[in-house]
Amino acid sequence: MKAKITATGAYLPEKILTNFDLEKMVDTSDEWIRQRTGIELRHIAENQPTSELAANAAEDILANSSISASDIDLLLVATVTPDQPLPATAIFVQEEIGAYNAFTFDVNAACSGFMYALSIANAYIVSGMVKNAMVIGAETMSKIIDWSDRSTCVIFGDGAAGVLLEPTEEDEGVLSVVLHSDGRYSDLMRVPAPGSRIPCSKKVIDDRDIYVKMKGNETFKLALRNIVSVSKEALDLAKMDFSDVNWMVSHQANRRIIDGVAKRVNLGEGKAIVTIDRHGNTAAASIPLALDWAVKTGKIKKGDIVLLNSFGASLTWSAAVVRW
Ligand code: ACO
């Protein structure tokens, strides 16, 4: 038994923030952002919680599938921007779409969150514990970004997307998944407060400790190396190599990282799916957003080998090989 992706879906909030808009907010330029990251614009959720974005993506997945909300067995939401600490964002999504027969929970593995959730859903399906699973990556990064910090505010965006997984007896679907994490790098990217380590206070707000802090340059170097190695691990497990890959769908953190990986592994021209130009880095939503775009535009077709890979705070990295 394998788990196959049978539908994808996505949702992006209406408001668009361009690099030129950012030029008016911090000391930056369209040229710097394009050259250093590949980003041209990003979507911003105004007055919308993460669960609303996720629920809209879930409705799109359902519209592209042959099941209805009441058929969903397992509903996972990968996010680092939950609606609130308690309950899980997935609970609100369940209520919003009426998936009352599912059990639901959130997964936090930063930008690798979708991949971690995909691996959990895959394991549940392969074990026979559920007959289907919806996996959504959803973020409102704009709510945890320091809009006065040019080194982070130009990078991130908001959005949600996901997939439906169902069992298959064929040699298709998720062929391999590899996950890694390393807590020794926990200070590379973090939101220090509020939490049990540093509870909420006026001081944490005044010190701007409620926002993302990132050592971008160090993260960049680790990203390149680790994405290449974990992709090779996943391909080895599936008894394939990079020459078998039709499409690479990577976490969209920086165009230079995606291009760097494609070059190092000789992927071949045009095989790396790129959506960062119009989404920015949407953390756990970025891989399913890119995947949904590639499916809906007819790039990914039945039988294609799709390599998914991710990199996130602090530190998580993963890869999966999927036969579409
Ligand atoms: N506009 C203009 N100049 C800027 C900006 C900006 N927005 N931001 C930084 N700079 C300046 C810096 O101050 C620095 O100036 P200096 O040389 O005078 O000191 C210079 O540009 C270079 O800064 P770097 O930080 O070295 O820039 P770099 O080329 O590394 O790009 C970036 C920064 C885009 C953040 C890159 O490091 C990156 O993409 N890192 C990886 C991020 C990532 O993968 N994170 C993990 C996933 S996210 C998650 O898990 C939720």
Side-chain angles (χ1 to χ4, degrees), residues 28 32 36 111 150 155 189 216-217 219 254 256 281 312-313:
T28 192
W32 190 95
R36 306 307 295 169
C111 298
R150 70 175 182 173
I155 301 167
M189 187 177 171
N217 208 275
T219 313
N254 190 317
R256 289 186 294 138
N281 178 348

Side-chain angles (χ1 to χ4, degrees), residues 245-308:
V245 174
N246 298 106
W247 301 104
M248 181 174 82
V249 183
S250 298
H251 168 48
Q252 310 280 308
N254 190 317
R255 173 81 200 236
R256 289 186 294 138
I257 296 176
I258 300 169
D259 290 347
V261 170
K263 196 172 166 199
R264 275 192 200 191
V265 305
N266 282 323
L267 193 67
E269 200 59 37
K271 288 187 179 179
I273 300 293
V274 176
T275 52
I276 189 169
D277 51 334
R278 52 204 184 273
H279 299 166
N281 178 348
T282 55
S286 95
I287 289 178
L289 272 172
L291 193 61
D292 179 69
W293 177 77
V295 170
K296 285 181 179 159
T297 53
K299 289 185 184 307
I300 295 179
K301 295 187 189 67
K302 186 170 170 49
D304 281 354
I305 296 298
V306 182
L307 171 67
L308 308 173

Side-chain angles (χ1 to χ4, degrees), residues 4-303:
K4 184 186 177 181
I5 296 174
T6 54
T8 66
Y11 172 79
L12 289 161
E14 262 173 45
K15 184 181 171 182
I16 286 174
L17 191 72
T18 66
N19 294 347
F20 298 104
D21 295 326
L22 282 160
E23 283 181 354
K24 295 176 199 135
M25 297 163 65
V26 285
D27 180 16
T28 192
S29 66
D30 173 59
E31 193 191 359
W32 190 95
I33 302 169
R34 272 177 206 254
Q35 277 181 3
R36 306 307 295 169
T37 70
I39 302 168
E40 293 172 25
L41 55 91
R42 67 290 287 147
H43 290 250
I44 302 292
E46 286 181 307
N47 308 315
Q48 282 178 302
T50 297
S51 63
E52 193 176 319
L53 275 55
N56 286 334
E59 298 286 9
D60 191 35
I61 299 167
L62 287 172
N64 296 321
S65 80
S66 58
I67 69 161
S68 57
S70 58
D71 298 321
I72 302 171
D73 270 2
L74 169 61
L75 173 63
L76 298 175
V77 176
T79 188
V80 292
T81 47
D83 283 20
Q84 51 197 63
L86 189 76
T89 300
I91 288 286
F92 296 119
V93 179
Q94 174 180 35
E95 186 190 5
E96 194 98 4
I97 65 170
Y100 299 118
N101 294 317
F103 64 99
T104 76
F105 58 97
D106 288 0
V107 176
N108 179 344
C111 298
S112 298
F114 173 78
M115 298 291 289
Y116 273 57
L118 183 82
S119 80
I120 295 167
N122 179 56
Y124 269 100
I125 288 177
V126 170
S127 72
M129 281 179 74
V130 299
K131 67 175 186 305
N132 64 50
M134 185 178 280
V135 179
I136 300 169
E139 304 284 10
T140 49
M141 294 302 287
S142 62
K143 318 246 179 163
I144 60 165
I145 291 305
D146 183 345
W147 287 101
S148 66
D149 175 9
R150 70 175 182 173
S151 68
T152 51
C153 76
V154 303
I155 301 167
F156 294 98
D158 301 340
V163 299
L164 179 71
L165 289 149
E166 293 180 273
T168 175
E169 302 283 350
E170 307 295 318
D171 184 24
E172 58 181 358
V174 181
L175 305 181
S176 66
V177 199
V178 179
L179 309 177
H180 289 292
S181 39
D182 190 339
R184 285 170 296 186
Y185 295 99
S186 60
D187 71 332
L188 280 189
M189 187 177 171
R190 62 207 164 92
V191 179
S196 60
R197 190 180 291 265
I198 310 173
C200 192
S201 67
K202 184 174 179 304
K203 185 175 183 320
V204 298
I205 297 168
D206 292 345
D207 291 350
R208 309 190 80 73
D209 277 342
I210 56 172
Y211 299 120
V212 166
K213 321 273 174 204
M214 183 168 77
K215 295 180 181 168
N217 208 275
E218 288 165 55
T219 313
F220 187 98
K221 286 174 201 150
L222 282 164
L224 258 181
R225 198 169 65 215
N226 290 1
I227 292 172
V228 170
S229 63
V230 75
S231 299
K232 187 162 181 345
E233 276 182 78
L235 285 163
D236 284 349
L237 267 181
K239 300 192 170 42
M240 293 185 185
D241 60 40
F242 287 103
S243 64
D244 294 306
V245 174
N246 298 106
W247 301 104
M248 181 174 82
V249 183
S250 298
H251 168 48
Q252 310 280 308
N254 190 317
R255 173 81 200 236
R256 289 186 294 138
I257 296 176
I258 300 169
D259 290 347
V261 170
K263 196 172 166 199
R264 275 192 200 191
V265 305
N266 282 323
L267 193 67
E269 200 59 37
K271 288 187 179 179
I273 300 293
V274 176
T275 52
I276 189 169
D277 51 334
R278 52 204 184 273
H279 299 166
N281 178 348
T282 55
S286 95
I287 289 178
L289 272 172
L291 193 61
D292 179 69
W293 177 77
V295 170
K296 285 181 179 159
T297 53
K299 289 185 184 307
I300 295 179
K301 295 187 189 67
K302 186 170 170 49

